Amino acid sequence: PMTPQTQMYIGSQSKSFTALAIAILAEQGKLEIDAPVQTYIPWFKVADEQASGKITINHLLHHTSGLSDAGYGIVLPLKTSAEDAIRSLAKAELTERVGTKFQYFNMGYAVLEYLIELQSGQTYAEFVQENILTPLGMDTSTADPATASDMPKGYTRIFGFSMPAKEEYPLYSVGAGWIVSNAVDMANYAIEFQTNQTKLVSDAMMRRILSPGIGNYGMGWFIYDSGARIVHGGANQTFRTEVNLYPNRDRAFVLLTNQGYQVDHFVSASQLTASVEAVVLGRTPPSIDESWSVK
């Protein structure tokens, strides 16, 4: 049975942890967010040699590197090492000029995960545990999925029926989509972004994290309505996550679901999110017909 303590993959919500870890390293003086990636990974390159030296950490954080899935098209084995995964970007073609357009790109956050390990001298899981999870009291969360002990089955659909499906994770991309958490821990996490009470980073850095760039994307969060609505989430093959923050209302909510399928991710998930948002903000939830049109 599902409980508020049940562990689940949180999908791309993991990116907010990776972005926060980069911000922590920056304030520790171990990297510069605006520096080119080649400052720390000299062999980093994409298909465009000139662009390779222009791509900064900040570009990767905001998905404005010019890279996208359309120009990459490589499916890596799950056990690919982080270094080999990043070296595969040498074949990635830019689909926009560096720094000019928002293009969501998971592999950009795999590069950031690797940078965290290089500049901290720790594994990604160790750094996140020591600098984020432990300070926030997220006692049953982990950035090492191999240690998760209370994971339920994830479900997909076959001919409309829910069916359990085993889901593996890529070793090189935990920081882009495979952190494990639960509803209680993620509530603590949401509170921290509302209040910055634990001061994992300075108030100035938190403002930078939650400031929109191109495409309304900050550092690991989508920022809407001048910061009145801050959201992210994640869609694994058999899990779904939503985290919505409303700083002006002192409200937030977390939704974790152990079922993922195209209909769930693109239709029912938005219906559920719209309905919960309405309740949280004191509005009447949309009718079934209305919720179908929610974007």
Side-chain angles (χ1 to χ4, degrees), residues 37-280:
V37 174
Q38 287 185 348
T39 303
Y40 307 103
I41 309 176
W43 47 264
F44 171 81
K45 65 178 181 178
V46 297
D48 184 325
E49 191 70 33
Q50 187 175 12
S52 299
K54 294 181 179 179
I55 297 173
T56 67
I57 295 172
N58 195 56
H59 288 138
L60 296 180
L61 286 166
H62 289 84
H63 295 294
T64 56
S65 64
L67 299 170
S68 70
D69 289 333
Y72 181 55
I74 296 175
V75 179
L76 298 171
L78 294 175
K79 297 187 182 298
T80 302
S81 70
E83 181 176 334
D84 286 345
I86 294 166
R87 287 188 183 277
S88 75
L89 290 173
K91 298 179 180 179
E93 300 283 349
L94 266 67
T95 51
E96 292 289 343
R97 289 180 294 110
V98 177
T100 63
K101 185 176 180 179
F102 171 81
Q103 297 184 123
Y104 199 88
F105 188 53
N106 281 309
M107 278 299 297
Y109 269 72
V111 177
L112 295 173
E113 179 179 346
Y114 185 64
L115 270 171
I116 290 165
E117 296 193 331
L118 285 180
Q119 298 309 112
S120 70
Q122 298 177 283
T123 67
Y124 176 77
E126 289 169 343
F127 187 84
V128 169
Q129 183 69 53
E130 181 179 314
N131 292 275
I132 301 175
L133 302 180
T134 297
L136 296 183
M138 300 177 69
D139 298 331
T140 51
S141 298
T142 179
D144 180 2
T147 66
S149 59
D150 186 35
M151 288 275 285
K153 291 179 180 178
Y155 288 79
T156 185
R157 290 182 189 265
I158 298 178
F159 299 112
F161 295 95
S162 295
M163 298 291 291
K166 186 176 181 180
E167 185 164 354
E168 303 290 348
Y169 65 92
L171 296 178
Y172 60 88
S173 194
V174 172
W178 302 90
I179 285 177
V180 174
S181 191
N182 61 46
V184 171
D185 283 2
M186 288 305 297
N188 287 337
Y189 187 68
I191 289 169
E192 184 62 23
F193 278 90
Q194 298 273 46
T195 65
N196 202 29
Q197 61 188 7
T198 311
K199 290 291 188 291
L200 301 182
V201 294
S202 66
D203 289 341
M205 181 60 78
M206 183 60 78
R207 285 192 294 273
R208 178 169 182 172
I209 291 171
L210 299 178
S211 295
I214 298 172
N216 291 314
Y217 201 85
M219 292 169 56
W221 293 93
F222 287 96
I223 320 296
Y224 299 112
D225 303 328
S226 301
R229 181 171 175 264
I230 300 170
V231 305
H232 213 296
N236 296 96
Q237 292 177 13
T238 59
F239 293 88
R240 177 82 191 190
T241 299
E242 303 283 351
V243 181
N244 283 30
L245 314 177
Y246 308 92
N248 297 346
R249 301 287 195 96
D250 197 26
R251 291 278 190 269
F253 69 83
V254 175
L255 298 177
L256 303 179
T257 311
N258 65 325
Q259 179 167 279
Y261 186 67
Q262 284 189 332
V263 172
D264 299 307
H265 289 324
F266 295 106
V267 179
S268 58
S270 63
Q271 294 173 335
L272 178 60
T273 301
S275 296
V276 174
E277 178 180 68
V279 172
V280 167

